[in-house]
Amino acid sequence: DLGEPANYKAELSNPKSNKWLEVMNAEMQSMIDNQVWSLVDLTPDGRTIGSKWLFKKKTDIDGNVHTYKARLAAKGYTQTYRIDYEETFSIVADIKAIRILIAITAFYNCENWQMDVRTAFLNGHLNEDVYMV
């Protein structure tokens, strides 16, 4: 157990809350910079979904914490099957896809380049309005 806060209130009571607040502010700034949301009034027929802060500590091989991460996530479990969702996305690549990519690279004697995109989820496009609180 790395002592990660279970929720925002638990985070505020954490002695290292300044580190958590720093990464929470970075997450919010990333969303503002990429214009992923706008503050609007709820339409009469609009439904809202909740949100939750998720906290994670990343450690090195010796177990020392080197990175604090905070993500604001929509509570997607309020969706209704075949009504208000059709696709799900994962930020983790399937190991089979990675093996295929490496095999193709080796076969054609090419190079692979890897990069970490912090805001990859912001590149998705929605066909509907989503109201989150």
Side-chain angles (χ1 to χ4, degrees):
D1 180 27
L2 295 174
E4 296 160 342
N7 55 46
Y8 181 71
K9 288 180 183 177
E11 184 275 324
L12 289 177
S13 65
N14 188 323
K16 296 189 178 188
S17 65
N18 59 335
K19 292 187 181 192
W20 291 116
L21 288 172
E22 185 179 313
V23 294
M24 288 170 68
N25 286 331
E27 171 79 353
M28 291 302 294
Q29 189 61 50
S30 176
M31 288 190 223
I32 291 167
D33 292 345
N34 290 290
Q35 301 174 351
V36 284
W37 57 267
S38 58
L39 188 60
V40 298
D41 292 323
L42 183 63
T43 61
D45 61 337
R47 289 185 7 193
T48 62
I49 59 173
S51 61
K52 178 180 174 132
W53 280 102
L54 303 173
F55 301 98
K56 187 74 177 164
K57 291 179 183 176
K58 298 292 183 173
T59 58
D60 60 18
I61 197 163
D62 298 322
N64 300 317
V65 176
H66 63 84
T67 306
Y68 290 78
K69 290 192 169 192
R71 296 290 181 255
L72 183 62
K75 293 181 178 178
Y77 57 80
T78 59
Q79 296 170 319
T80 306
Y81 182 63
R82 294 188 182 195
I83 293 177
D84 56 2
Y85 76 93
E86 294 181 11
E87 298 175 329
T88 59
F89 299 93
S90 174
I91 59 172
V92 178
D94 182 23
I95 190 65
K96 292 176 189 174
I98 294 171
R99 287 181 179 158
I100 291 169
L101 178 64
I102 292 171
I104 291 170
T105 300
F107 182 80
Y108 288 107
N109 196 25
C110 295
E111 291 183 19
N112 275 339
W113 290 80
Q114 183 269 336
M115 61 187 254
D116 184 21
V117 180
R118 289 193 58 211
T119 56
F121 70 96
L122 300 177
N123 293 318
H125 296 284
L126 298 176
N127 296 325
E128 62 276 339
D129 291 331
V130 176
Y131 300 97
M132 186 172 89
V133 292

